[in-house]
Amino acid sequence: MNEIIESVKNLSIGFNSQKGKQISILRNVSTNIKKGETVGIVGESGSGKSTLALAMMGYIKQGLFPLKGECLFKSEDLLKMSSRQLEKIRGRKIAMIPQNAGQALTPNLKIGYQIDEALKLHTDLNKTERDKKISELLNKVRLPSPETMAFRYPHELSGGQQQRVAVAMALAGKPDLLLLDEPTTGLDVTTQAHVLELLRFIAKDTGTSMIYVSHDLGAIAQVSDRIVVMYAGEIVLEGPARKILKEPIHPYTYGLLKSIPKLSLAGLPASMPGSQPQPGSINEGCSFYDRCNLANDNCKKNSPDLEHIKELDTNVRCFNYKELLNQNNNLQTSITKKSNNSEANEVLKLKDVSISYAKQKFFDQLLNKISDQNPTVKDINIDIKKGETIALVGESGSGKSTILKSIAGLLKTKDGQIKFEKDRILSSDLKKRNPNDLRAIQLIFQNPDESLNPNHTVEQILSQPLKLYFNLSGDELKKNIIDLLKKVRLGEFYMSRYPRQLSGGEKQRVAVARAFAAKPDIILCDEVTSALDVSVQAAVLNLLQQLKEDLGTTYVFVSHDLAVVRAISDRVAVLYQGRLCEIGPSQNVYKFPSHPYTEVLLGAVLEPDPDIKPKLVAEDIVEEKPPEKGCSFQGRCPRKIGDICNSEVPPWQIGENGNAIRCHINIEELASLQQ
Amino acid sequence: MESNLITEDKQKNKLEKAFEILKTMASKPSGLIGLTIVLFHVVLALISPYIAPYDYKAISPNTMLLAPSAEHWFGTDSLGRDVFTRTILGGRTALTVTFFGSLIALLWGGLLGIFCGLVGGKIDDVVMRVVDAFLSIPWILAMLLIVSLLGTSTEVLIPALGFFYGKGIVRVARAATHDVIAKDFIVSARARGHSNMSIIWNEIIPNVRDAILVEGAMRWSWMLLGFSSLSFLGFGVSPPTPDWGLMISNARGLMSFAYWSVIAPIVGLSSLIIGINLTADAFAKALGIDRSTKAPV
């Protein structure tokens, strides 16, 4: 068990900048991987975690080169090997599972063939043995009906199944070390929980060592024995998983853990100020100095070494870690948010809204109607009160973004009405809406890289809505822009910057400022934090909450992340396949009784706590389209009671907590089942 | 005063940006060579009337088909005209016609392409099928028809060439627009209620400008070749105006014993085309590096 199979010694990797300076991305990294151990490497984007993981299989991205140090795999230096020698090791001794299996699998080859290729390359089995091995592997990764699965093409599989195939391929060569680079990041919550469970099983079953790279401490917590925390190309904390997650003794890890929204906590997570330094901009002193609340003059001048603490079996790179030793009970705290009064007026009302993506037939086009009996989104009734934050939650394909788009007027509704302020019906055609209604509803998008024009300066970006809605120009325009930047806590000097010169969090702040420039009544937030790092996510959530409290804006907040929703929203609507399952005040939706789908979602949430294991109550099947009759969740429901679920749309039941659930099971019975 | 300062600052920024792009282009040997060649031709075209040693249309039976010498550096042609004079003057018409022709091609092709890409639907379908239909007609036949109907003056040649070389740009601009309009910042502008014109002007053009400019630069070199082919066939500029295509055409029968009268215009034409091609390539690379892969350092 204690045999070390790979050891990294003083590794530095860097590149030459355009100015000819040598800039390091990894600095003096040393770590050991023991046999049978799963090591989680965690860090925010740009921390060098992927570079480290790839170097561990002897691969260095183009443009980068090793500056010093070595990567010893069974006492041979991978970085000095020829590509021939590496070929013998990769796949057979060290295998990798990529982030996006959908892209890693060849789209025009059947998956059985692709696994066979890996087997041919890495084993000496003959054809019949290989065939047997393929179904054995497919069985091992728990794919349904492995016999027929081998004859399918990658696109016929869901994201989770593709990831399982990638795992099967990686296992084909019986590797000693498995490298996983964000293997569950693109997957839905329930699928993610299943894949992690599978990985844990495989690690135990085969005794393979694993290196699990992720930005998600929740996922890392579920699989890792040991955790390595990276910051700005350095290891800042390394130790047993439980110790790191429960008693983090490095201020960065501490802050990171605090900035993750948790299901068990209402209120907003605390954010960390600042952002990670860019490679090359690190001067002397501790790289975390700017953001650290324990920092003193010593930290500014001297860079701390990785110090080994025997009693905790932990390595830490901090002068002042002792101050954190006794502080860890504070991890379970959050910022309480002001909740609004529920007496407020309705500002937006969705009445029987259905939306269809089906193409109109010729006659329907003439009659200008849509005759889709089974639309993507059906019968949505939501009343949104002024000043509240209502969240739409669901997995991909639940129709949450579709609803948002039709509120914004970007998608036509099939049936139903969207009413705004005192029952005035908003046209479902954007061109027919009056300018004031357009101003009143603004959108913030998921990815600020896409939602900000890369060729505009921040000033140009923010002046667009100001010019369009308020006809501002000259000094007044400039003054307004500076005010907006101040509101989102950015300085005046950001005006002349281009989006590419900003960090992810800064970009999203500009996007928030642009939405607020219109002085809107309602802001539609489409997964606004899911492209951001956790510490930045917490800051953006806090900013949104602050702006709402100051300006009384209403948010419609779409997210797949139940913990984020828990943190920011007043009310939650759970959607499955474009149909509402449950709606209610957020503190009640997170309590039982809940709709079976909410139960499944809540069970699958990964908390950064090794003691809270996800509960897997439903299969992670992906349904292509909603069922034509009956309950939308009939295909996956763990509490299905019989034919009635397939034939009749369940009624709304209102629980004593005030949350409405759409289920055939009596609400009291549901409560006792879920206890 | 203050707003004035801002605009000045911006203009300076734009100039600086252009200078930076030029610098990047010149930093690679191929770009430097291309830029030098193009610059050389442009300068030559500007100053050639003042430095030409002889009259380009002076015919003399005494100086027919003289080999290169100290008096006639590139020799003389079959009518006794100085080949050096005619060569340095020969680039002027070609450069002017094709430069303005490319501009026209860029303008109409680019704008139509962007418009079709943004609007989509039926308008897009109809316009693109018309463009396809035009693409299927060999341009040289159509050009010959136009030229024989309307004459060979530059006023006819510039718009005609501009039209025929703009068809391809429509497709490029449309494709580039399609890349951009899927992005959220266009959706965002739409949701705010901006007009199509405002979206094209503010959101799309800054993002497709580079692709279209590079395409335009490539078209320029093709147009130059096309223009010279027309002249070669006798449908370009009319004699006695000096022109490379025409010179090659006139001298090709005498190539075996008076090679000098054909070599000079060929070198002029091909070097300019190669120069423009290299420049366009370097331009594309400079823009590409500047916009997408620049490291954050």
Side-chain angles (χ1 to χ4, degrees), chain A residues 430 450 453 455-456 469 498, chain B residues 185 190 192 202 206-207 291:
Chain A
L430 193 70
E450 292 234 328
N453 191 331
N455 280 305
H456 283 178
Y469 298 127
Y498 285 92
Chain B
F185 61 86
R190 263 194 188 148
R192 278 200 302 271
N202 288 319
N207 289 294
R291 311 250 157 218

Side-chain angles (χ1 to χ4, degrees), chain A residues 8 10 27-32 52 226-231 233-239 244 249-250 253 286 303-310 313-319 321:
Chain A
V8 179
N10 295 325
R27 292 179 293 148
N28 258 335
V29 172
S30 304
T31 188
N32 293 320
L52 171 61
R226 214 151 53 79
I227 292 179
V228 172
V229 184
M230 306 268 308
Y231 185 78
E234 286 177 321
I235 293 180
V236 292
L237 187 63
E238 179 183 9
I244 302 274
I249 54 166
H250 189 278
T253 318
C286 176
S303 173
D305 290 325
L306 207 58
E307 190 180 332
H308 184 73
I309 302 159
K310 227 176 195 166
D313 190 23
T314 303
N315 296 328
V316 61
R317 193 186 289 277
C318 183
F319 291 124
Y321 70 88

